[in-house]
Amino acid sequence: MADQDDVTGESFGQSEILKRIPHRYPFLLVDRVEEYLAGKSIVGFKNVTANEPFFQGHFPGNPVMPGVLMVEAVAQTGAVLMSKTLDADMTKTTIFFMGVDKVRFRKPVVPGDVLRMPVAVTYARHGVFKFHGKAMVGDKLVTEFDFAAKGVTVE
C-alpha cells in the first residue's frame, strides 16, 4: 500500500466541476482538475482563449486577463476542493469567498496560456476553509495569495 505522499489524487472534468460549484459560463473559470486530495489540495486548470468575453475590453489590441479574474479562477478551484471534501449538497449550500490576503501579480496572462492553479488547505474548521493558492503558466508564477471561504446553507 502506498504512503499518502505517494497518492497523486483524483482527476475530473467539467461534469464533476459543475456539480461542485454554481458558476456557469461565462463566469466558470475552471476547466478541469487534477491531483484532488480530500481536505488537503487540488490543482485546477483554465485554458485561456482569445474568445474570453473580457478580452474585448481588457485591452483591445493587447489582451490581458484581468488580475481579479485570475484570483477568481484560483478561488473557484478552492471552492471545488471544499465542496467535494464536504460532499456538499449544492442545491442547499453556497460557498462564499470570505477574504483574500497577500495578493501578488507577477506576470500577465494572455490568450493561449494555460493557468495551472495549485491550491492547498491551510486551515479547516466549523465550515471555514483557509487556502494558499497560486496560478502558474508553465513554470512561471503569475499570481499567489491566501484566501478563505465558508459554506452557507440556504433554504
Side-chain angles (χ1 to χ4, degrees):
M1 188 165 145
D3 291 341
Q4 186 68 17
D5 293 338
D6 295 332
V7 177
T8 59
E10 183 180 347
S11 297
F12 49 88
Q14 284 286 295
S15 62
E16 183 70 17
I17 292 166
L18 291 170
K19 288 181 200 174
R20 297 296 169 192
I21 58 176
H23 304 78
R24 298 296 181 263
Y25 179 82
F27 208 64
L28 179 62
L29 300 174
V30 182
D31 294 325
R32 65 185 167 91
V33 163
E34 294 181 359
E35 302 177 39
Y36 164 78
L37 293 172
K40 294 184 179 194
S41 61
I42 194 169
V43 179
F45 291 87
K46 166 68 176 147
N47 299 311
V48 181
T49 71
N51 295 327
E52 308 288 349
F54 50 80
F55 283 138
Q56 292 178 21
H58 199 269
F59 300 100
N62 184 26
V64 176
M65 185 176 189
V68 69
L69 293 181
M70 288 187 271
V71 169
E72 176 65 25
V74 174
Q76 287 182 19
T77 301
V80 171
L81 168 60
M82 187 175 169
S83 172
K84 190 163 174 65
T85 294
L86 297 173
D87 195 23
D89 178 350
M90 295 312 292
T91 64
K92 297 178 182 171
T93 304
T94 301
I95 296 174
F96 288 105
F97 208 3
M98 293 174 57
V100 61
D101 292 306
K102 303 177 188 170
V103 179
R104 295 289 180 260
F105 299 106
R106 312 270 186 217
K107 178 183 178 300
V109 173
V110 299
D113 285 346
V114 176
L115 286 180
R116 181 180 182 275
M117 302 173 291
V119 175
V121 173
T122 59
Y123 172 93
R125 187 177 293 176
H126 306 297
V128 174
F129 278 61
K130 293 184 179 181
F131 306 92
H132 181 75
K134 299 178 184 179
M136 314 281 295
V137 173
D139 62 351
K140 304 284 187 203
L141 179 66
V142 296
T143 191
E144 71 177 319
F145 55 95
D146 297 321
F147 63 106
K150 179 175 180 74
V152 176
T153 302
V154 290
E155 297 288 330

